[in-house]
């Protein structure tokens, strides 16, 4: 229980529990029942292994849901099958042998450990949640330097690299990685995360060493398609142009945002709430950057707001941020005060919409 709690508070949720039934102090079934009582752990798959099938154990196990009951001695293949069943997204209906094989392959592929280098908290949360939902393991880094540190100490299968980051950006980090690979002869797959608005970004990413790229705002289907291409070792795919950009002028286009998030309204609410906190902080930083006449910083902050707001379907705020970003990039801050004021107005319009979205979701859960 302690290990589970600690991992949960640290944001590294356990994906599967395998436990012996006969254990001192708290036996496996009581442990499983305790785990199920906590809503955060209500759906973690649990595999129970028993050395002597006791009366009532199989039915107590069934009552847990998302669980399997195996008796010792357990064959490796039996345990493996149970794990596949537990971890598979599909319901364990009657399956053909071909389906099972396909699932096994997919489960192996999905044991992939992804390093996500992204400075924006909303984007990080979004990508991490989506990837974990699809069975990937995700390690976070908030800038290029952190990403290099992670690579130095952990075995990583693929990197999702944001290009615009503070301290060390994605271009610099990718060059450093490719440089070091010249000696080792290895090649880690890197998928660049780029802002759609920046023309030439794609070419620059590939030139700097990316194998593939995904444009922001992040869409589930595009991200997963890029990972499938990676698993297949396939070349860069075509990106559907502007397929799901929010309707211009919308304060909060919930429908479009949900389309990008697999229809996960709880995730949208979480992102929106996270965005509301970050957004207020971003505006404060934007004022400071403007006061310091730091056009570079202003550009980066505006860029962050643009991307994060697009993720939650806040099209008009995203547009206001784009205008400020472009102005800051030009280096001429003459009209910046006006653009910052416009950005603030949009954020002020958005915050109540986010609040009512959170209320709606809460109502939905209650009813
Ligand atoms: Mn960024």
């Amino acid at each position: 229980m302690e290990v589970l709690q600690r991992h949960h508070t640290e944001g590294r949720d356990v994906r599967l529990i395998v436990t012996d039934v006969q254990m001192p102090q708290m036996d496996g079934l009581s442990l499983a029942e305790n785990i199920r009582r906590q809503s955060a752990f209500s759906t973690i798959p649990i595999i129970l292994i028993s050395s002597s099938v006791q009366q009532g154990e199989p039915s107590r196990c069934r009552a847990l849901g998302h669980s399997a009951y195996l008796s010792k001695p357990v064959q490796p293949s039996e345990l493996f099958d149970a794990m596949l069943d537990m971890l598979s997204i599909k319901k364990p209906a009657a399956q053909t042998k071909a389906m099972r094989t396909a699932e096994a392959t997919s489960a192996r592929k999905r044991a992939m450990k992804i390093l996500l280098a992204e400075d924006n908290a909303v984007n990080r949360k979004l990508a991490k949640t989506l990837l974990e939902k699809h069975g990937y393991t995700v390690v976070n880094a908030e800038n290029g330097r952190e990403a290099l540190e992670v690579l130095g100490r952990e075995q990583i299968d693929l990197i999702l690299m944001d290009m615009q980051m503070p301290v060390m950006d994605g271009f610099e980090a990718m060059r450093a990685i490719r440089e070091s690979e010249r000696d080792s002869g290895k090649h880690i797959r890197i998928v660049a995360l780029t802002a759609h608005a920046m023309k030439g970004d794609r070419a620059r990413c590939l030139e700097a060493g990316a194998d593939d790229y995904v444009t922001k705002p992040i869409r589930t289907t595009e991200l997963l398609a890029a990972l499938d291409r990676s698993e297949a070792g396939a070349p860069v795919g075509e990106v559907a142009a502007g397929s799901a950009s929010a309707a211009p002028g919308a304060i909060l286009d919930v429908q479009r945002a949900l389309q990008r998030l697999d229809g996960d309204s709880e995730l949208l609410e979480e992102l929106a709430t996270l965005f509301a906190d970050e957004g207020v902080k971003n505006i404060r930083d934007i004022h400071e950057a403007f006061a310091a006449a730091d056009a570079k910083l202003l550009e980066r902050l505006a860029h962050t707001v643009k991307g994060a707001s697009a993720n939650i379907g806040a099209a008009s705020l995203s547009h206001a941020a784009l205008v400020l970003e472009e102005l800051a990039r030009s280096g001429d801050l003459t009209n910046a005060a006006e653009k910052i004021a416009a950005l603030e107005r949009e954020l002020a319009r958005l915050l109540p919409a986010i609040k009512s979205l959170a209320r709606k979701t809460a109502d939905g859960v209650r009813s």
Side-chain angles (χ1 to χ4, degrees):
M1 268 328 280
E2 279 161 21
V3 172
L4 199 58
Q5 280 293 2
R6 195 177 62 239
H7 278 69
H8 180 63
T9 19
E10 290 170 5
R12 298 179 293 129
D13 274 330
V14 167
R15 317 232 16 119
L16 173 76
I17 297 165
V18 181
T19 177
D20 191 5
V21 170
Q22 284 79 28
M23 290 190 295
Q25 287 180 30
M26 187 193 280
D27 72 34
L29 265 164
S30 310
L31 168 68
E33 284 160 354
N34 275 329
I35 290 169
R36 280 293 180 263
R37 264 177 229 122
Q38 304 199 29
S39 59
F41 307 137
S42 62
T43 58
I44 301 180
I46 303 176
I47 297 176
L48 291 138
I49 302 176
S50 181
S51 52
S52 58
V53 179
Q54 301 288 324
Q55 182 95 58
E57 276 185 0
S59 66
R60 271 172 79 193
C61 175
R62 268 195 303 279
L64 293 168
H66 300 281
S67 60
Y69 185 87
L70 305 176
S71 53
K72 289 182 189 175
V74 176
Q75 300 301 315
S77 63
E78 199 186 350
L79 180 60
F80 185 59
D81 280 352
M83 286 170 67
L84 284 187
D85 275 342
M86 293 284 100
L87 290 172
S88 109
I89 299 147
K90 294 186 197 85
K91 282 166 208 79
Q95 290 163 334
T96 64
K97 193 159 190 268
M99 271 173 77
R100 260 185 186 281
T101 312
E103 276 194 11
T105 314
S106 138
R108 264 197 299 279
K109 285 194 298 189
R110 297 260 152 101
M112 223 184 189
K113 195 170 182 186
I114 296 176
L115 168 59
L116 170 66
E118 163 68 65
D119 61 313
N120 184 276
V122 175
N123 283 337
R124 235 179 7 249
K125 169 84 190 166
L126 165 63
K128 190 171 197 290
T129 309
L130 288 176
L131 292 169
E132 286 179 345
K133 218 165 115 176
H134 288 269
Y136 294 98
T137 302
V138 179
V139 184
N140 278 333
E142 296 187 18
N143 59 57
R145 190 174 299 158
E146 276 188 28
L148 295 182
E149 281 164 18
V150 172
L151 284 174
R153 61 165 193 262
E154 285 190 53
Q155 177 63 45
I156 297 294
D157 301 306
L158 180 141
I159 307 170
L160 274 176
M161 183 81 80
D162 178 29
M163 291 294 105
Q164 285 78 35
M165 292 187 288
V167 187
M168 180 191 277
D169 69 15
F171 294 102
E172 208 184 321
M174 283 200 307
R175 281 193 201 101
I177 292 165
R178 294 304 183 218
E179 183 70 30
S180 75
E181 285 177 344
R182 268 221 288 260
D183 303 322
S184 67
K186 286 187 197 140
H187 181 93
I188 189 162
R189 190 113 179 149
I190 303 178
V191 177
L193 298 173
T194 73
H196 199 54
M198 293 188 147
K199 288 218 174 70
D201 234 21
R202 189 197 132 189
R204 278 182 70 210
C205 291
L206 300 178
E207 183 263 332
D211 298 290
D212 204 340
Y213 63 93
V214 171
T215 54
K216 292 190 194 181
I218 295 166
R219 300 171 192 94
T220 312
T221 45
E222 271 186 31
L223 187 58
L224 293 177
L227 295 178
D228 284 342
R229 284 199 293 275
S230 293
E231 284 160 359
V236 178
E238 284 304 308
V239 177
S243 51
S245 54
I251 298 177
L252 189 61
D253 191 336
V254 175
Q255 289 315 316
R256 293 291 181 109
L258 280 177
Q259 267 174 29
R260 279 201 296 272
L261 302 176
D262 262 0
D264 190 335
S265 57
E266 227 174 288
L267 175 59
L268 175 59
E269 188 216 314
E270 234 179 290
L271 288 176
T273 310
L274 187 59
F275 174 81
D277 298 342
E278 286 281 310
V280 171
K281 185 178 162 293
N282 283 331
I283 293 280
R284 211 167 42 230
D285 293 346
I286 282 173
H287 277 294
E288 276 173 25
F290 177 58
D294 188 340
K296 266 253 149 301
L297 181 59
L298 195 58
E299 179 189 342
R300 195 170 59 67
L301 290 167
H303 175 82
T304 298
V305 174
K306 181 189 72 182
S309 50
N311 271 333
I312 60 165
S316 50
L317 176 61
S318 185
H319 181 74
L322 167 68
V323 171
L324 181 63
E325 181 190 3
E326 281 173 350
L327 183 98
R329 190 175 312 133
S330 78
D332 177 8
L333 300 184
T334 319
N335 296 317
E338 184 192 312
K339 305 299 177 205
I340 293 170
L343 189 73
E344 265 183 297
R345 272 198 305 278
E346 291 301 339
L347 183 66
R349 290 205 307 155
L350 176 64
L351 292 178
I354 289 178
K355 281 221 180 73
S356 81
L357 174 72
R359 249 197 321 273
K360 247 181 260 165
T361 310
D363 288 346
V365 169
R366 266 200 300 276
S367 63

